[in-house]
């Protein structure tokens, strides 16, 4: 079956989000709207009552077919702060273990009158597939699909960069490590180029940083010193051993020696460079503890910003769904 273009699937007839599947095809205005809305939610986390009624009466189902700590928890917190009712389906104890197919599971959750599915899955394209096969009035939010996309992670990273650097213009960003298997790197590259940074460098061994990424607007770099020289932002990535087929690396210790971020290698970047990591971090494999816990690290800010970004995306998608339903109803009445 032919797939629809992501833009056609995730935007309604007014150009508003109704699903959030990928950053591919989303313009700077829409990405900036997400960041601005997230900014407005950030201060709410410091108030004694951390709730707004934007999703009151709505049912959000967290469907994580792959493990997660940060994304699952911050989506749940975000949904609760928007006053939604939240269900966390435990996949291990669900009927999936008795052979129920993904679509049959979803049809049952649809029958429970759900309004939004937050989906993480190891298969690339799964969120898009679900958006095309579910009832159209259920908003689908991609919480990471295979090596394809992790759009809310990229947007929380953009919010973190904007808050620390004041904007995107003129910035040089290095993304270091296992680019090949990283949905985060793909979504970050789309966001950074759309928002207008001056350069994105993808840094790592040839086996993990293939040359085809240059076609997406990145500079490819196999030498850490050259890759970090004068950058404003460093994003370190974990080695995704669970997705590696064959021997792509001599050893973890060799990788750390050549590409690890330590106090010494961090000195190649600008003195005020920020250090980011989507997590989970592997200390002594891609980053030293001194750097991960050091004063240039903004890794835990990323986690906090994730709640606000997810609130922004969920409230925008729900609003886009309602506008779409209103337009359809008005069309039927004519
Ligand atoms: N960054 C990220 O996706 O982390 P989790 O796997 O813990 O959700």
């Amino acid at each position: 079956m032919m797939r629809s273009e992501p833009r056609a699937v995730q935007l309604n007839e007014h150009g508003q989000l109704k699903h959030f599947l990928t950053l591919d095809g989303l313009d700077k205005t829409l990405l900036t709207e997400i960041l601005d809305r997230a900014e407005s939610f950030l201060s709410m986390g410091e108030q004694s009552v951390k709730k707004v009624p934007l999703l009151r009466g709505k049912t959000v189902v967290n469907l994580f077919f792959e493990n997660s700590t940060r994304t699952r928890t911050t989506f749940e917190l975000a949904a609760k702060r928007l006053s939604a009712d939240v269900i966390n389906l435990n996949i291990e104890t669900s009927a999936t273990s008795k052979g129920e197919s993904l679509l049959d599971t979803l049809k049952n959750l649809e029958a429970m009158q759900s309004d939004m599915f937050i989906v993480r899955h190891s298969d690339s394209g799964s969120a898009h597939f679900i958006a095309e096969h579910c009832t159209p009035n259920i908003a689908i939010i991609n919480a990471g699909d295979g090596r394809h996309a992790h759009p809310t992670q990229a947007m929380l990273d953009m919010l973190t960069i904007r808050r620390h650097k004041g904007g995107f213009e003129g910035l040089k960003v290095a993304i270091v490590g296992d680019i090949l298997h990283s949905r985060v790197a793909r979504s970050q590259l789309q966001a950074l180029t759309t928002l207008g940074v001056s350069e994105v460098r993808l840094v790592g061994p040839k086996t993990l940083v293939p040359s085809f990424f240059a076609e997406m607007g990145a500079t490819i770099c196999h030498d850490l010193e050259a890759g970090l020289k004068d950058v404003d932002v460093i994003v370190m990535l974990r080695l995704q051993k669970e997705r590696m087929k064959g021997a792509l690396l001599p050893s973890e210790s060799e990788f750390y020696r050549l590409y690890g971020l330590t106090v010494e290698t961090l000195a190649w970047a600008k003195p005020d460079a920020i250090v980011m990591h989507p997590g989970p971090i592997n200390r002594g494999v891609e980053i030293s503890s001194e750097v991960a816990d050091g004063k240039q690290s903004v890794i835990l800010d990323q986690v906090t910003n994730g709640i606000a970004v997810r609130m922004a995306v969920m409230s925008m998608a729900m609003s886009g769904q309602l506008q779409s339903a209103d337009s359809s109803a008005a069309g039927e009445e004519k």
Side-chain angles (χ1 to χ4, degrees):
M1 195 180 86
M2 280 283 287
R3 278 268 166 97
S4 311
E5 281 298 306
R7 192 181 164 80
V9 175
Q10 65 183 349
L11 299 183
N12 70 14
E13 52 276 47
H14 309 290
Q16 301 159 324
L17 284 180
K18 59 176 180 169
H19 304 296
F20 194 57
L21 309 174
T22 170
L23 300 182
D24 187 13
L26 300 187
D27 62 19
K28 186 175 179 178
T29 306
L30 187 47
L31 298 196
T32 305
E33 188 186 339
I34 294 171
L35 296 179
D36 291 345
R37 189 181 277 232
E39 198 88 46
S40 75
F41 287 129
L42 269 180
S43 58
M44 222 186 79
E46 279 138 37
Q47 291 164 12
S48 57
V49 179
K50 300 180 178 61
K51 268 192 194 283
V52 285
L54 291 169
L55 258 61
R56 189 164 57 200
K58 302 294 179 195
T59 302
V60 174
V61 186
N62 258 336
L63 284 162
F64 279 64
F65 295 91
E66 203 187 59
N67 293 343
S68 165
T69 296
R70 284 146 288 270
T71 313
R72 200 201 61 74
T73 313
T74 52
F75 262 116
E76 182 175 351
L77 268 174
K80 286 180 172 168
R81 288 185 186 180
L82 292 167
S83 308
D85 297 316
V86 186
I87 307 290
N88 291 303
L89 188 72
N90 185 339
I91 301 298
E92 278 173 17
T93 57
S94 75
T96 305
S97 62
K98 299 180 198 164
E100 187 171 70
S101 75
L102 174 63
L103 278 183
D104 283 332
T105 302
L106 294 172
K107 292 288 167 205
N108 281 272
L109 294 167
E110 274 181 35
M112 297 173 206
Q113 297 164 326
S114 304
D115 297 290
M116 187 177 286
F117 293 156
I118 313 295
V119 184
R120 169 167 291 191
H121 204 287
S122 56
D123 289 346
S124 298
S126 47
H128 190 134
F129 174 84
I130 291 168
E132 289 196 305
H133 287 84
C134 273
T135 309
N137 61 353
I138 298 183
I140 310 299
I141 311 291
N142 186 359
D145 61 328
R147 58 168 87 174
H148 169 244
H150 197 346
T152 58
Q153 176 69 45
M155 290 312 295
L156 72 88
D157 295 332
M158 297 308 111
L159 183 62
T160 307
I161 292 172
R162 193 172 82 166
R163 287 178 67 77
H164 283 275
K165 294 291 168 191
F168 299 97
E169 214 170 294
L171 291 185
K172 292 184 182 139
V173 181
I175 308 176
V176 184
D178 184 358
I179 310 293
L180 178 65
H181 300 101
S182 176
R183 55 194 173 210
V184 175
R186 283 169 176 78
S187 290
Q188 285 175 336
L189 182 56
Q190 285 166 341
L192 289 164
T193 49
T194 303
L195 290 167
V197 297
S198 103
E199 188 182 6
V200 184
R201 295 180 200 159
L202 302 181
V203 187
K206 281 187 182 149
T207 47
L208 297 180
V209 186
S211 54
F212 62 75
F213 278 99
E215 291 159 26
M216 294 171 71
T219 305
I220 307 296
C221 219
H222 301 302
D223 175 71
L224 186 63
E225 182 168 2
L228 294 186
K229 190 173 166 41
D230 293 333
V231 295
D232 304 275
V233 177
I234 304 169
V235 180
M236 296 305 296
L237 297 176
R238 166 180 87 83
L239 295 175
Q240 299 198 30
K241 283 174 282 183
E242 72 276 20
R243 295 189 217 280
M244 288 186 192
K245 291 190 182 81
L248 295 175
L249 282 173
S251 67
E252 282 183 359
S253 56
E254 183 68 356
F255 179 81
Y256 189 60
R257 190 178 69 76
L258 292 172
Y259 295 103
L261 193 65
T262 61
V263 171
E264 292 73 34
T265 58
L266 176 57
W268 291 328
K270 282 189 181 163
D272 64 348
I274 56 170
V275 175
M276 303 174 65
H277 195 309
I281 63 174
N282 287 154
R283 293 166 187 260
V285 178
E286 71 272 2
I287 190 166
S288 72
S289 281
E290 274 171 298
V291 174
D293 304 327
K295 62 180 180 359
Q296 287 169 260
S297 169
V298 297
I299 294 171
L300 294 179
D301 289 2
Q302 290 172 259
V303 178
T304 306
N305 292 340
I307 304 170
V309 160
R310 288 171 176 134
M311 288 174 77
V313 167
M314 293 166 93
S315 56
M316 286 169 72
M318 192 49 68
S319 163
Q321 285 283 348
L322 294 174
Q323 293 267 346
S324 206
D326 286 350
S327 301
S328 304
E332 277 167 19
E333 274 171 24
K334 275 184 195 164

